[in-house]
Amino acid sequence: MVTVIETERLTLVELTPADAAFILELLNEPSFLANIGDRGVHDLEGAVRYIEGQVANYAKLGYGLWLVRRKDDGAAMGLSGLVRRVTLPDADIGYAFLPRYWGQGYAAEACAAVLAHAVGPLALPRVLAIVSPGNGASTKVLDKIGLAYQRTVQLGDDTEELLLYASDAT
């Protein structure tokens, strides 16, 4: 297990094929499907392919989505990290947690640490985030970690407008 980031309560580690069952559960949570979308992961083989994509990102970009574990018991709670989309000019913070871990500050703690890692060790000049307009909990997380609302955007041919946040005002 490769640890990338540690906070007071959390450890963010690189995904491995051993995390496939967790990925399958998370990516098929109704809240994930509603707020992020269907990633086509419907069995363990699909989960392994998803993980392989993240592992390729670690090698190519130096970042990706990392598994968030609670330090005190090692529980896998969610994902947090950076995504590089061809439809956005800069990397964006992505995150998702199982509902049983909502409302405890874990998302804000993980995302703040990812942002610090992005501008510190990774030396990224700007970090973005996108969120569905109706996802008030996520907009609160982005506000809390210091990202500022910029405008609405559409990614590719997708018709849904998303709220774009950035770590600076450009």
Side-chain angles (χ1 to χ4, degrees):
M1 179 169 33
V2 176
T3 299
V4 180
I5 300 170
E6 286 193 55
T7 71
E8 182 180 336
R9 301 183 296 164
L10 309 173
T11 304
L12 282 69
V13 300
E14 291 184 355
L15 288 164
T16 71
D19 301 312
F22 173 78
I23 291 299
L24 181 62
E25 177 186 5
L26 179 66
L27 272 57
N28 287 285
E29 262 301 316
S31 58
F32 187 98
L33 295 168
N35 292 306
I36 298 171
D38 187 346
R39 295 295 181 250
V41 175
H42 303 293
D43 55 30
L44 287 175
E45 292 171 355
V48 169
R49 283 191 302 275
Y50 180 88
I51 291 166
E52 289 169 347
Q54 294 306 314
V55 171
N57 286 336
Y58 306 153
K60 179 180 177 185
L61 303 170
Y63 58 80
L65 292 172
W66 299 297
L67 179 66
V68 180
R69 290 194 175 278
R70 191 166 45 196
K71 279 185 174 178
D72 66 1
D73 62 1
M77 302 186 308
L79 296 173
S80 187
L82 297 162
V83 178
R84 188 68 185 102
R85 301 173 205 271
V86 296
T87 52
L88 290 175
D90 299 289
D92 67 281
I93 291 180
Y95 58 96
F97 285 77
L98 291 172
R100 63 183 169 266
Y101 299 110
W102 292 359
Q104 300 170 60
Y106 293 127
E109 185 175 335
C111 290
V114 167
L115 180 59
H117 185 74
V119 300
L122 295 176
L124 299 180
R126 184 173 188 228
V127 178
L128 305 175
I130 52 173
V131 62
S132 297
N135 191 344
S138 284
T139 59
K140 287 179 186 176
V141 168
L142 299 177
D143 288 337
K144 187 172 186 173
I145 68 168
L147 296 187
Y149 171 76
Q150 303 294 300
R151 64 186 179 279
T152 60
V153 296
Q154 287 179 276
L155 301 182
D157 294 333
D158 194 356
T159 58
E160 180 187 15
E161 287 197 341
L162 300 170
L163 307 178
L164 177 69
Y165 283 72
S167 60
D168 64 14
T170 60

